[in-house]
Amino acid sequence: MPDLARVAAEFGLGAVLDAAPLPGGHRDVTRLTTGRGTFVVKPGYQTADLELYERVASALNQAGIRQARPLRTTAGALVSASGHAVQEFLPGRICLPPSAAQTTAVMRHLAGYHAALTKIPVSAVATPAETVWTRVAGARYLVRELPGLLRRHAPPGRAGDRPVTALLGHLERGLPRLCDLPRQLVHGDIGPDNVLMDGDTVVAIIDFTPLRQPVLFAVAGAVYWYHIHGQAEPDLDAIRASLAAHRPWTAPERAAWPAMLAREALRRFATPFAIAAQQPRPPPAWPQARYQAVVSIMRCWPRLPALLPD
């Protein structure tokens, strides 16, 4: 745990009253209570990322959408001399698994959330350093590289897996439609573990992951985590209700929707193999839950277009 008295002094927060690991958070994130309130302390990384997040929090709060505001030190910096960032603490809890009402609330929340982010131009989003996670988010990367990753790193007998190959084919045919979608700043990792709830009300979306992508990219991610991953059989009626709760869909979005969902499932499936490719290591364990998500999408592929409401 960091020297919290020093951090509190750097941000002008007053005397430390209590400190504990943030429930459900990373091990290096601390909930700090001082004479001025309760805050979240975490290591400060890229200042540019924090500056973007400050703009995001401002745009969302101005739109009436709650987002934890970052604090600046008494010297006006977002990262203190001791290397920490601080933001306000928002009450709420992560609900696993979420109820149907909570899922609908999240999808409805995302419409206003991403509408508010249109106030931040895409040019304000710094090009992220290339990492395994940014690479696997690319549709063209998946089409080009995933077959080779499986040949080199999949367990014996799984290199030419038919459902994965078939879904890659659907993604490749959908590439032109994905490229036609307008891009903006989006949250690139929306799932139940990144949403604070108060009953059936969304308090805030946390762990902002900035990406330049279509809004449909973020929505497909939410559908994947809320309705497909870990489910023996996707509930198509529940997916349809979630998509209807979001907002009206444009014709290009409707055309690109199945390929975008395929992209999301394949990028999640590809990640352990892409990580294994970065350094010599034994083949990763077969990601069964992520593989099952690929299989589930293939099974219901003909019905996916009808899930976007008129």
Side-chain angles (χ1 to χ4, degrees):
M1 188 172 290
D3 182 346
L4 294 173
R6 178 183 177 184
V7 174
E10 290 172 323
F11 285 88
L13 301 180
V16 174
L17 302 179
D18 187 45
L22 184 69
H26 298 292
R27 60 185 178 182
D28 56 356
V29 179
T30 303
R31 183 172 65 186
L32 172 67
T33 302
T34 74
R36 281 188 51 193
T38 303
F39 307 92
V40 175
V41 178
K42 59 180 67 176
Y45 298 111
Q46 297 293 330
T47 300
D49 290 346
L50 291 171
E51 290 173 344
L52 174 61
Y53 177 75
E54 186 177 49
R55 295 182 66 177
V56 166
S58 177
L60 290 169
N61 280 292
Q62 287 178 15
I65 299 169
R66 199 75 177 92
Q67 191 74 17
R69 298 180 187 272
L71 278 65
R72 288 183 176 265
T73 67
T74 55
L78 287 167
V79 180
S80 70
S82 64
H84 292 88
V86 174
Q87 64 186 42
E88 62 180 327
F89 172 79
L90 297 180
R93 67 186 186 93
I94 291 170
C95 297
L96 298 173
S99 68
Q102 289 169 337
T103 299
T104 299
V106 170
M107 299 302 290
R108 187 179 297 114
H109 184 87
L110 290 183
Y113 183 97
H114 285 111
L117 293 188
T118 60
K119 297 180 180 179
I120 302 174
V122 171
S123 60
V125 187
T127 301
E130 184 176 278
T131 67
V132 62
W133 292 276
T134 60
R135 284 196 296 274
V136 298
R140 294 188 185 280
Y141 170 89
L142 292 167
V143 169
R144 184 179 65 249
E145 300 294 337
L146 181 52
L149 288 173
L150 289 178
R151 284 194 298 271
R152 293 191 299 274
H153 301 287
R158 306 305 297 260
D161 191 84
R162 292 179 63 184
V164 175
T165 301
L167 196 58
L168 276 169
H170 286 307
L171 175 59
E172 183 172 17
R173 289 186 287 274
L175 283 175
R177 291 185 287 277
L178 295 179
C179 293
D180 284 344
L181 297 177
R183 297 186 174 210
Q184 66 162 78
L185 177 63
V186 302
H187 190 312
D189 192 19
I190 297 171
D193 57 346
N194 277 342
V195 180
L196 296 178
M197 304 291 302
D198 179 8
D200 294 340
T201 300
V202 176
V203 175
I205 298 175
I206 60 175
D207 287 349
F208 183 71
T209 304
L211 290 177
R212 291 188 188 109
Q213 291 290 347
V215 171
L216 196 62
F217 177 95
V219 172
V223 168
Y224 176 86
W225 288 117
Y226 276 89
H227 292 292
I228 296 174
H229 184 269
Q231 304 295 323
E233 192 71 30
D235 185 336
L236 298 186
D237 289 336
I239 295 175
R240 185 180 294 106
S242 287
L243 293 169
H246 185 261
R247 62 160 170 77
W249 299 95
T250 67
E253 286 172 331
R254 293 177 65 86
W257 150 246
M260 189 66 83
L261 188 59
R263 174 188 187 175
E264 181 63 22
L266 287 167
R267 77 155 169 146
R268 301 297 178 180
F269 173 76
T271 298
F273 302 106
I275 291 172
Q278 293 189 144
Q279 53 187 328
R281 61 172 61 187
W286 187 252
Q288 185 58 37
R290 298 184 181 205
Y291 174 71
Q292 185 58 46
V294 170
V295 173
S296 295
I297 290 173
M298 276 303 305
R299 284 177 180 165
C300 63
W301 184 263
R303 291 172 285 171
L304 289 182
L307 297 184
L308 282 182
D310 294 332

